[in-house]
Amino acid sequence: MKQRIVILGGGLAASFMAARCALRGHKVTIIDDQHPNSASRVAAGLFNIITGRFGALSWLGPQLLEEIQAFFSQAAFSELQSHLHYAPIYRPFKTIEGYNKWIGRSVAPIFQDIVQFYEQPQHPHLLHNEMGGIMIQPCGWADTGRLLRGFEEVLTRDFDVQYVAREIPYTAFDLEKKTISLEKEPYAFDHVIFAEGYRMIHNPWLKDVRIIPNKGEILLLHAPSWKLPFVLSRKVYLVHIGDDQYVCGSTYRNQFETTEPTEEGKAEILSHLAKAVKKPFDVVGHWAGIRPTTPNRRPIAGSLPNHPQVHVLGGFGTKGMLLAPFTSRLLDQLIFEGIDEIPKEAHLDRFFS
């Protein structure tokens, strides 16, 4: 039966969720004020499954990559693949301890198809990587800005999804009556999905959900002499987006006074970049976004215990492109099939138990 779905939010979580609801034939409305500090709108869109200070395999890493491929292989959304760029990610060794660790780790069965060990420096004329590094193979990046616009085009054109570009106060929602009060008459819904990113901290129904806003600043660089053939990850990342331009970031701050870019953030990125590359470049852009992180660094998916028609999707932190396809599928199954396969460490229930 066709149901009326309202999704609050306009980033990756909302877009993937809207796509799955639309594929089922439901009537979908996306409400989003297109806030400029949305992490999805400014992120580099990396999907990398070897992350963290010590280079650990990401939670459910290979499964998450498979989910990305499965989603975009669907005929309805295959045209969006043009916004995905599969590329290796090179992670130089910074210490002899890291070098020694990866000598053995790179041949372990769990890493054999993921990581290639390089003992010799790569592109030494450009990069500081005297001890070599590891090349992470089945990863890449997405042009998230274009991807979000592509989602909107496909969903409005092929599925009649409605986009409402405005802010609607929480007081307009009546969860018991399943309505939203607008200027003319109440808009009725069967399900509402909160996929608001870090702004969930203001949601009165999610007071028990622990969201930690994390600010990240990013630079846009112009460097004609670099010709970098892979994504670089060395404290900061470098993503070649074409036309001799590179996205470089990011800072990670849980405490911040402004959501705008700062000179302090720019200086921090440039300091790390000086330790990674040798050749000159120009800074041609600078922006900031606020990521929604959680205490256990796991996403959030599930339905509110006292409001089974209200659902939550988010908490992706720095891994929106990696997590959104997978978690949106699990929430879709929960809502429309009654199948709950959401891992307990990512389940919304963890905040209400």
Side-chain angles (χ1 to χ4, degrees):
M1 183 177 68
K2 189 172 185 177
Q3 300 189 59
R4 298 157 299 182
I5 313 298
V6 170
I7 300 176
L8 204 62
L12 291 172
S15 297
F16 278 98
M17 198 67 222
R20 296 194 183 278
C21 295
L23 275 176
R24 289 185 179 271
H26 300 308
K27 180 182 179 182
V28 181
T29 300
I30 293 179
I31 300 172
D32 179 49
D33 63 358
Q34 299 182 343
H35 197 280
N37 292 115
S38 164
S40 293
R41 297 186 186 281
V42 302
L46 283 177
F47 45 98
N48 176 14
I49 62 173
I50 302 293
T51 60
R53 180 180 177 185
F54 302 105
L57 184 63
S58 289
W59 175 76
L60 302 180
Q63 188 175 351
L64 300 179
L65 286 179
E66 291 174 4
E67 199 71 49
I68 294 175
Q69 296 171 350
F71 179 89
F72 289 102
S73 66
Q74 299 175 102
F77 302 107
S78 59
E79 68 184 78
L80 299 180
Q81 291 188 71
S82 62
H83 306 307
L84 267 64
H85 304 273
Y86 289 92
I89 298 175
Y90 182 57
R91 181 172 176 141
F93 300 128
K94 292 183 288 186
T95 65
I96 191 65
E97 289 80 9
Y99 172 92
N100 290 333
K101 179 187 294 183
W102 277 105
I103 287 179
R105 185 186 274 184
S106 61
V107 297
I110 192 173
F111 290 110
Q112 274 188 334
D113 296 329
I114 299 174
V115 170
Q116 185 174 359
F117 180 88
Y118 282 89
E119 190 171 357
Q120 299 298 321
Q122 302 299 298
H123 297 266
H125 64 288
L126 173 62
L127 303 178
H128 292 289
N129 68 132
E130 291 72 19
M131 291 183 287
I134 58 170
M135 196 76 73
I136 308 163
Q137 299 294 339
C139 299
W141 61 281
D143 187 329
T144 53
R146 291 181 178 176
L147 178 59
L148 292 176
R149 292 192 293 272
F151 264 119
E152 182 172 355
E153 180 179 347
V154 171
L155 290 173
T156 54
R157 181 192 69 207
D158 298 340
F159 296 95
D160 198 29
V161 171
Q162 294 184 338
Y163 278 74
V164 178
R166 56 171 291 186
E167 182 178 1
I168 295 181
Y170 295 113
T171 54
F173 286 79
D174 189 324
L175 299 187
E176 303 300 331
K177 295 181 180 179
K178 298 183 182 180
T179 60
I180 305 174
S181 298
L182 301 177
E183 286 83 355
K184 297 180 181 179
E185 60 185 38
Y187 181 91
F189 61 83
D190 297 296
H191 296 274
V192 62
I193 300 168
F194 292 121
E196 310 164 82
Y198 81 94
R199 284 175 291 169
M200 285 185 194
I201 61 174
H202 304 300
N203 191 313
W205 298 286
L206 304 182
K207 291 179 180 179
D208 294 322
V209 177
R210 183 85 187 278
I211 290 288
I212 305 169
N214 182 290
K215 181 181 178 181
E217 298 191 41
I218 297 173
L219 301 180
L220 179 64
L221 312 178
H222 183 244
S225 66
W226 285 7
K227 310 301 181 187
L228 197 62
F230 44 67
V231 175
L232 179 70
S233 176
R234 191 187 189 281
K235 193 64 176 180
V236 292
Y237 57 75
L238 280 174
V239 180
H240 186 197
I241 61 173
D243 297 326
D244 296 322
Q245 291 189 324
Y246 296 79
V247 173
C248 179
S250 171
T251 60
Y252 302 85
R253 295 189 182 277
N254 293 333
Q255 302 292 328
F256 49 90
E257 296 180 356
T258 175
T259 60
E260 299 301 314
T262 64
E263 287 301 314
E264 181 183 9
K266 178 181 178 180
E268 180 181 338
I269 295 172
L270 292 178
S271 174
H272 294 312
L273 188 58
K275 300 174 184 177
V277 298
K278 302 176 181 179
K279 289 191 174 183
F281 57 89
D282 294 311
V283 178
V284 295
H286 183 195
W287 58 89
I290 312 300
R291 316 175 188 94
T293 63
T294 63
N296 69 347
R297 299 188 179 183
R298 297 291 179 262
I300 303 169
S303 305
L304 285 180
N306 298 325
H307 297 284
Q309 78 281 18
V310 180
H311 319 280
V312 179
L313 183 66
F316 296 157
T318 62
K319 300 178 180 179
M321 192 60 212
L322 192 60
L323 291 168
F326 175 73
T327 51
S328 64
R329 177 178 63 80
L330 296 183
L331 184 58
D332 174 76
Q333 289 179 341
L334 175 65
I335 296 172
F336 301 113
E337 300 177 27
I339 299 173
D340 190 350
E341 295 181 343
I342 302 170
K344 63 180 182 179
E345 62 268 32
H347 209 295
L348 177 64
D349 287 353
R350 71 188 191 266
F351 296 104
F352 296 95
S353 57

